[in-house]
């Protein structure tokens, strides 16, 4: 909606998600807070297992079992997604927030035509059959597909075409927030660029885009703001240029150093050690066992989030020392 204030699009506060497994509780997302404005483009980056996808699912209140959202708020256009009743939630998914997945083959129904599946997204949200049918050709064209593909089945399409279909389904109701979880990893470089251009055009129409990726080089090319996740927490958050040029958290620096081409003065260096087990994460700062700068306090107390510059935040004891 054009009357929403820019900072209103998405507010996440104190969000925690756990997987209740036989071995114990996996603290996959722990006390995460951030905001994103209208048309913002936010990248969530971090190593495998840092909780990116879990956070993405939580934004739709769609964490699969044995996962559970244990606390927090996800407010989109003033509505707390985590407090909605079943029916309201069903309506909110699609119209307030939608998701695009890594491999659309797993989310598209193999035995129904593309047109039928797109139509269902709309009719489930109160749009009449006739209107839905009328809108399908232009929706397909808006994602760069010929209207005739409505009659095709998923297996008749290429990987790139299927991803376009899933984007068409995700944007059919013009959601306020689009979560894209590794949307191009299964695609070749040329198609990857086309899909990322398409996501960019969706953003320009007013949708807030959350791009989840382990590919920092991709995020560097595309997003406006970056949230860096480590072991279930956002350790740094800020505009892309500032975070990439002037990273404040030792983990962000290590992550950038591990990627060829981003830090020109150095050879890529792998981050020493491994991410922790999230059933028993390290006390204090979760990064301390891998951090060269770790001090005593880092092993005992969780670092507070510090504003290190305009709209630039990081959680590290080095930054709070006076
Ligand atoms: N269904 C599940 N049951 C138990 N633990 C899970 C489940 N799904 C994820 N986890 C755990 O939750 C943590 C976060 O996983 P998540 O998939 O969100 O990470 P990610 O950052 O998306 O990783 P990747 O880059 O590999 O996609 C990991 O420790 C993972 O092992
Ligand atoms: Mg993931």
């Amino acid at each position: 909606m054009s009357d929403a204030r820019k900072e209103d699009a998405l507010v996440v506060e104190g969000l925690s998600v756990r997987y209740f497994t036989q071995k114990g509780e996996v603290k996959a997302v722990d006390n995460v807070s951030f905001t994103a404005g209208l048309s913002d483009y936010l990248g969530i980056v971090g190593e495998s297992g840092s909780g990116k996808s879990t956070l993405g699912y939580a934004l739709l209140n769609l964490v699969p079992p044995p996962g559970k959202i244990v606390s927090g708020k996800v407010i989109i256009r003033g509505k707390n997604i985590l407090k909605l009743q079943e029916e309201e939630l069903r309506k909110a998914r699609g119209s307030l927030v939608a998701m695009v997945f890594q491999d659309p083959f797993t989310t598209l129904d193999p035995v129904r035509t593309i047109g039928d599946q797109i139509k269902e997204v709309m009719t489930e949200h109160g749009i009449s059959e006739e209107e839905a049918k009328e809108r399908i050709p232009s929706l397909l064209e808006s994602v760069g597909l010929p209207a005739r593909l409505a009659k095709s089945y998923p297996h008749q399409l290429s990987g790139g075409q299927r991803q376009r279909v899933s984007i068409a389904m995700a944007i059919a109701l013009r959601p306020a927030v689009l979560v894209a979880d590794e949307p191009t990893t299964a695609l070749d470089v040329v198609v990857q660029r086309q899909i990322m251009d398409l996501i960019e055009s969706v953003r320009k129409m007013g949708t807030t885009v959350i791009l989840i990726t382990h590919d920092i080089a991709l995020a560097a090319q595309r997003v406006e703001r970056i949230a860096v996740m480590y072991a279930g927490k956002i350790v740094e958050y800020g505009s892309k240029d500032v975070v990439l040029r002037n990273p404040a958290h030792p983990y962000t620096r290590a992550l950038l150093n591990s990627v060829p081409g981003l830090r020109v003065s150095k050879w890529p260096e792998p981050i020493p050690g491994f991410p922790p087990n999230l059933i028993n994460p390290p006390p204090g700062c979760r990064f301390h066992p891998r951090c060269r700068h770790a001090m005593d306090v880092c092993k005992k107390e969780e670092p507070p989030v510090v504003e290190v510059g305009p709209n630039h935040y990081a959680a590290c004891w080095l930054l709070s020392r006076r």
Side-chain angles (χ1 to χ4, degrees), residues 73-275:
K73 293 179 185 168
V74 174
I75 299 169
I76 300 177
R77 293 213 180 123
K79 271 199 179 149
N80 185 354
I81 300 294
L82 308 185
K83 282 272 180 259
L84 300 181
Q85 300 300 318
E86 198 63 22
E87 177 60 19
E88 278 182 305
L89 184 60
R90 207 178 51 77
K91 281 192 198 144
R93 290 195 195 118
S95 61
L96 285 181
V97 54
M99 191 151 176
V100 175
F101 300 88
Q102 178 175 345
D103 181 4
F105 226 1
T106 55
T107 46
L108 293 173
D109 184 342
V111 297
R112 291 166 62 219
T113 64
I114 299 303
D116 264 1
Q117 297 185 59
I118 298 178
K119 192 177 71 185
E120 187 181 326
V121 173
M122 294 194 253
T123 52
E124 270 188 344
H125 284 81
I127 295 171
S128 69
E129 284 267 329
E130 300 82 77
E131 191 185 339
K133 270 190 196 154
E134 240 175 69
R135 278 171 56 180
I136 289 170
S138 62
L139 187 59
L140 284 172
E141 276 157 18
S142 75
V143 297
L145 293 173
R148 63 178 159 75
L149 281 194
K151 293 198 173 72
S152 306
Y153 291 87
H155 71 269
Q156 296 172 309
L157 272 53
S158 69
Q161 286 175 323
R162 282 196 292 270
Q163 195 55 295
R164 285 173 192 271
V165 168
S166 68
I167 293 172
M169 288 166 77
I171 64 171
L173 302 156
R174 292 280 186 102
V177 177
L178 180 72
V179 180
D181 188 2
E182 311 274 9
T184 59
T185 16
L187 305 171
D188 70 54
V189 182
V190 175
V191 182
Q192 180 181 75
R193 195 168 57 233
Q194 293 165 350
I195 295 293
M196 293 314 296
D197 287 347
L198 175 58
I199 290 174
E200 174 62 24
S201 66
V202 172
R203 181 185 77 85
K204 284 194 177 135
M205 291 187 306
T207 294
T208 301
V209 176
I210 314 282
L211 174 70
I212 293 174
T213 180
H214 65 277
D215 184 348
I216 301 165
L218 178 72
Q221 284 166 15
R222 296 286 176 170
V223 305
E224 289 174 316
R225 296 208 274 163
I226 284 190
V228 181
M229 277 192 92
Y230 183 76
K233 292 187 170 287
I234 291 182
V235 294
E236 182 157 2
Y237 184 71
S239 81
K240 172 188 73 184
D241 293 338
V242 173
V243 172
L244 295 187
R245 272 197 225 128
N246 203 5
H249 198 287
Y251 176 66
T252 311
R253 287 204 290 273
L255 191 65
L256 295 179
N257 277 336
S258 72
V259 180
L262 279 178
R263 314 233 87 193
V264 277
S265 59
K266 281 190 161 190
W267 294 103
E269 271 176 38
I271 309 173
F274 297 98

Side-chain angles (χ1 to χ4, degrees), residues 19 21 26 28 46-55 64-67 181-182 212 214 276 278:
Y19 292 98
T21 70
V26 181
E47 284 167 289
S48 182
S50 56
K52 305 180 299 294
S53 294
T54 305
L55 173 58
D181 188 2
E182 311 274 9
I212 293 174
H214 65 277
L278 293 182

